[in-house]
Amino acid sequence: MDPAPPLASENTKTLLERAFSDAVDQVDDSDETTARVLDGAYEQFCRTGIRRSTMDDVAKRAGVSRITVYRRFANKDTLVEHVVRREFRRYFDRFLRDIRQARTLAERLELGFAGSLRAIRENPLIGGLMEVEPDVVVPSMISDGGRTMATVSRFLAERLRIEQRTGHVAAEVDVDLVAEMMVRVSTSFLLTPSELIDLDDEQQVRDIARRFLLPMLEPPA
């Protein structure tokens, strides 16, 4: 059985850092066969988990030969990295779509916060792994020297800078610090569910964003 793959290392970018780059640059270099293998791997990992899945399992699920899988992905670690990376890229893309429909800063913040939590929790792969194989995903989120949270913070900070340039956020607001605080709040909800706040209650989650996150964007006293 293939060993469980590490999702981050000290000398390489984390999955989230690479997904962030792909989302911003709109990179998509997958050919049809590669996409087929990634789709098969995604389905296999969702059904069986990463630890129990082999490259042979992925090949069967994708309807291709084992050699075809290895021609595109040298080993299971690399395949897992690409699958998870693609899911995070979809998360970033969904975040941008969610806030596009909002008309005000408050609405964008509410939709972004609620949508982000929902997207991660409902994702069959990422959310599912956080439930059944947390030792595969969680270390990449909290045990990488803070790089994962820093990546998401930079993504959010860029969105807040756009709000700042258009006059929706005061120039005095430190958007980098605010973004990190917001990401840390979101991460805590994902890793440690609350007994007071029902994350399945969309309106309650949006209320939390409006009451506690929106004031962070007000000018300092």
Side-chain angles (χ1 to χ4, degrees), residues 109 182 197 207-216:
L109 180 60
M182 290 182 175
I197 301 169
D207 288 343
I208 293 296
R210 186 172 59 254
R211 290 176 58 194
F212 298 102
L213 301 187
L214 187 60
M216 294 185 189

Side-chain angles (χ1 to χ4, degrees), residues 5 7 13 32 40 44 53 55 57 63 67 70 75 83 113 134 150 173 182 196 203:
L7 295 190
K13 289 184 178 180
E32 183 177 349
Q44 175 64 32
S53 297
M55 296 290 266
D57 293 331
I67 294 177
Y70 275 106
N75 50 51
V83 173
F113 180 63
V173 174
M182 290 182 175
L196 298 177
Q203 191 55 55

Side-chain angles (χ1 to χ4, degrees), residues 164 167-178 216-221:
Q164 214 167 33
H168 298 137
V169 173
E172 302 92 329
V173 174
D174 184 343
V175 294
D176 292 300
L177 178 58
V178 170
M216 294 185 189
L217 295 173
E218 296 176 355

Side-chain angles (χ1 to χ4, degrees), residues 5 7 15-16 18-19 22 30 34-46 49-50 53 55 58 62 69 72-73 75-91 123-126 129 137:
L7 295 190
L15 293 172
L16 212 50
R18 298 177 199 177
D22 284 356
S30 297
T34 300
R36 188 173 177 180
V37 172
L38 290 174
D39 289 340
Y42 172 82
E43 184 177 352
Q44 175 64 32
F45 296 157
C46 286
I50 290 177
S53 297
M55 296 290 266
V58 171
V69 176
R72 283 161 173 78
F73 305 99
N75 50 51
K76 182 178 169 183
D77 290 5
T78 302
L79 176 59
V80 170
E81 177 180 307
H82 277 77
V83 173
V84 176
R85 180 178 165 189
R86 187 174 67 163
E87 290 310 297
F88 275 120
R89 182 171 64 186
R90 289 173 174 172
Y91 157 74
N123 184 285
L125 181 63
I126 307 300
L129 287 177
V137 176

Side-chain angles (χ1 to χ4, degrees), residues 20 37 39-40 44-49 65 70 75-76 82 98 100 109 121 149 155 162 181 185 187 206 214 217:
F20 172 75
V37 172
D39 289 340
Q44 175 64 32
F45 296 157
C46 286
R47 288 173 176 266
T48 310
S65 68
Y70 275 106
N75 50 51
K76 182 178 169 183
H82 277 77
D98 284 346
R100 195 172 296 144
L109 180 60
R121 295 176 67 240
M149 280 195 286
F155 177 81
I162 293 174
M181 295 301 296
V185 170
T187 302
R206 291 186 61 170
L214 187 60
L217 295 173

